[in-house]
Amino acid sequence: MAVVDKPSEEDGSSFSSKVINVVFVTLLLDLLGFTLILPLLPSILDHYAQTGDGVYQSLQSVVDWFREAVAIPMEKKYNTVLFGGLIGSLFSLLQFLSSPVTGALSDRHGRRPMLLLTTSGLVSSYAIWAVSRSFSMFLLFRVIGGICKGNVSLCTAIVADLPCPKARNRGMAMIGIAFSLGFTVGPLMGAYFALGSRTTGKVFYQTPALLASAFSVADLLFVWVMMPETLTKDVKASSSGLGDSGDLLNPLSLFRFSAVIGTRDPPPKERMRKLQALGLVYFCYLFLFSGLEFTLSFLTHQRFNFTSMQQGKMFFFIGVIMASIQGGYARRIKPGQHIRAVGVAIVSLIPAFVLIGLSWDVTMLYVGLALYSFAAAIVVPCLSTLVSDHGTANQKGTVMGILRSLGALARALGPVVSSSVYWIAGAQVCFLLTSASFIIPLVLLRRARSLKEE
């Protein structure tokens, strides 16, 4: 069922292709289940607000404090966005804590066992959602999901295990395509099946929850039957395991990739400096990007009075462009060209967010969104490919887990800072200031490139 040893060089190419295809299907099933809830979240929050749930009211007091602190208007739409952002930040913080540990354990015990374990956790979380009738149970579903959402970092570690740089690049691009398709198709399915539940008299989110459970069970069976083990026995035996747990939980240690330095065979200092620089680029980019991504819902509602359907069409437009670019261009980027591709993509975000921030009509908004989609399709897959080149075979899980953790921390903090600036200084100032701030990851990227030439 699972391949235990590395294949020979003769069939290495076919093995890599099989691994990439299996990773793509695994992640697509995972993301379809994960994104079903996205269009339902406002209705779910409204549903629990009417029940007078004590846990809901406690979190609502946190939202009210933040809303009053930054002078956000008391509108139902904005309250829902903020409450959803609070739950999203909680989810990201749990990923920040769990991703490095999951990655390090996969270096010790193998990618496949850890993938089976995390997917089993997701199955249980969706089952809890399907039977939940209180906000406390719903929150438990999100907490378990956040802790067990190690599939992405494990899949990137699996791709990082591949011996050929071209295969790794193609694998990271296919992971990006899975994200684009999942975030495009999943929400549409969620909305459709929620409407079906209403007509049959069920709780409106029950059918999407059962469908998410089905996707997760299918994912678990698919991993069990099809996923090969890409970490050889001798590499697992040479792994130093978790090492100092503080290196996997301390934010400063994560930025320094201290868990990699503390292994038996740490990379050379020059390579570590390059890895640390790339990690900082990744964090700064996602901190700025996720912040503006979050405030985009505020801007389109406030300036253009977008309905939920128009919001859905906008994100569908973004998803289609991203999938097209990742399938046509990103996976064909040659080794050695990734830093340049990332630089071009980040530069394109500057006019993208200027256009979005200053947009006075929908056409101007969509021109900015097209540039935004181009950058979103390139930066994360290319940076993941660059980082996957670092570390020995028994360090890949730790390296990719830490990278995923830094991204989760950025996604937890970015929306809080960006929405604060948005409501204190205004939409134009927020988007223009953040556009200019993309110079920071560009400078860090240039430093990473110069370290490569040392």
Side-chain angles (χ1 to χ4, degrees):
M1 203 167 347
V3 177
V4 176
D5 297 311
K6 286 273 186 179
S8 62
E9 290 185 9
E10 290 77 10
D11 61 358
S13 177
S14 61
F15 176 78
S16 294
S17 296
K18 176 191 175 182
V19 169
I20 291 169
N21 291 335
V22 172
V23 164
F24 173 77
V25 175
T26 297
L27 261 186
L28 183 59
L29 287 171
D30 173 63
L31 291 166
L32 285 174
F34 174 72
T35 56
L36 283 170
I37 193 175
L38 297 183
L40 312 181
L41 196 55
S43 298
I44 289 173
L45 295 177
D46 290 344
H47 170 74
Y48 287 121
Q50 296 168 9
T51 64
D53 187 281
V55 177
Y56 181 94
Q57 297 302 327
S58 297
L59 289 180
Q60 181 63 60
S61 65
V62 176
V63 173
D64 290 339
W65 172 83
F66 180 75
R67 178 178 53 77
E68 292 171 4
V70 296
I72 299 175
M74 183 53 199
E75 286 190 30
K76 181 180 177 182
K77 171 78 175 180
Y78 298 148
N79 184 77
T80 300
V81 171
L82 288 172
F83 207 114
L86 176 62
I87 294 177
S89 291
L90 172 64
F91 190 87
S92 295
L93 283 173
L94 290 168
Q95 284 190 286
F96 162 71
L97 294 172
S98 64
S99 291
V101 177
T102 303
L105 287 173
S106 76
D107 284 337
R108 181 66 177 174
H109 302 289
R111 316 294 186 217
R112 187 172 179 272
M114 291 306 301
L115 197 54
L116 288 168
L117 180 63
T118 56
T119 306
S120 298
L122 290 175
V123 171
S124 67
S125 75
Y126 290 128
I128 290 172
W129 181 30
V131 300
S132 67
R133 294 297 180 270
S134 68
F135 185 74
S136 302
M137 290 288 285
F138 175 78
L139 199 60
L140 178 62
F141 142 63
R142 297 301 287 171
V143 168
I144 295 174
I147 294 171
C148 296
K149 199 74 176 72
N151 301 42
V152 177
S153 60
L154 288 171
C155 284
T156 55
I158 289 169
V159 171
D161 288 334
L162 300 178
C164 176
K166 286 185 178 180
R168 289 198 296 270
N169 178 54
R170 187 158 58 90
M172 294 301 177
M174 291 301 289
I175 287 174
I177 295 172
F179 262 88
S180 299
L181 290 176
F183 276 83
T184 301
V185 178
L188 295 176
M189 295 178 68
Y192 174 79
F193 283 102
L195 289 174
S197 292
R198 290 181 190 276
T199 59
T200 58
K202 298 179 181 177
V203 179
F204 69 93
Y205 57 78
Q206 187 170 33
T207 302
L210 291 171
L211 184 59
S213 298
F215 276 129
S216 195
V217 170
D219 197 19
L220 181 63
L221 294 174
F222 184 78
V223 171
W224 177 264
V225 174
M226 299 299 297
M227 180 65 75
E229 178 56 73
T230 55
L231 205 62
T232 58
K233 290 180 178 178
D234 58 321
V235 171
K236 282 190 267 187
S238 65
S239 172
S240 56
L242 284 175
D244 184 356
S245 59
D247 290 339
L248 298 172
L249 299 174
N250 185 328
L252 293 178
S253 296
L254 290 171
F255 278 103
R256 291 194 295 262
F257 285 82
S258 298
V260 181
I261 298 173
T263 55
R264 296 172 186 170
D265 185 24
K269 289 183 178 179
E270 293 79 9
R271 296 280 292 170
M272 281 306 306
R273 284 203 292 267
K274 172 81 177 297
L275 178 59
Q276 291 161 354
L278 290 172
L280 203 53
V281 172
Y282 188 81
F283 174 82
C284 290
Y285 163 77
L286 279 178
F287 176 81
L288 297 169
F289 183 88
S290 64
L292 290 191
E293 184 181 47
F294 182 74
T295 55
L296 192 58
S297 297
F298 291 135
L299 183 138
T300 53
H301 176 70
Q302 188 182 41
R303 190 176 294 176
F304 300 110
N305 294 313
F306 270 19
T307 63
S308 297
M309 180 61 71
Q310 288 171 310
Q311 294 267 16
K313 290 179 179 178
M314 178 183 73
F315 286 111
F316 182 79
F317 170 81
I318 292 169
V320 169
I321 291 181
M322 286 180 62
S324 301
I325 291 170
Q326 286 162 339
Y329 168 64
R331 68 190 183 95
R332 292 185 173 86
I333 298 173
K334 296 179 180 178
Q337 297 297 314
H338 291 93
I339 287 185
R340 180 178 177 276
V342 171
V344 171
I346 293 178
V347 166
S348 72
L349 278 175
I350 297 175
F353 283 122
V354 169
L355 286 169
I356 293 170
L358 298 178
S359 58
W360 56 78
D361 59 29
V362 174
T363 301
M364 188 173 175
L365 173 69
Y366 269 80
V367 172
L369 289 174
L371 289 171
Y372 160 102
S373 304
F374 169 76
I378 299 297
V379 178
V380 170
C382 284
L383 285 176
S384 298
T385 301
L386 287 165
V387 170
S388 71
D389 288 336
H390 292 75
T392 58
N394 63 357
Q395 298 166 349
K396 298 289 188 183
T398 303
V399 168
M400 302 311 295
I402 291 174
L403 184 72
R404 180 72 180 169
S405 177
L406 294 177
L409 181 63
R411 287 193 174 278
L413 299 178
V416 176
V417 175
S418 188
S419 57
S420 299
V421 175
Y422 183 98
W423 291 106
I424 292 172
Q428 290 189 3
V429 172
C430 176
F431 277 79
L432 292 177
L433 181 62
T434 310
S435 297
S437 299
F438 277 106
I439 294 172
I440 297 171
L442 283 173
V443 171
L444 294 171
L445 191 68
R446 185 174 181 179
R447 177 171 175 266
R449 176 182 289 177
S450 67
L451 288 171
K452 179 184 177 181
E453 297 170 353
E454 287 181 355

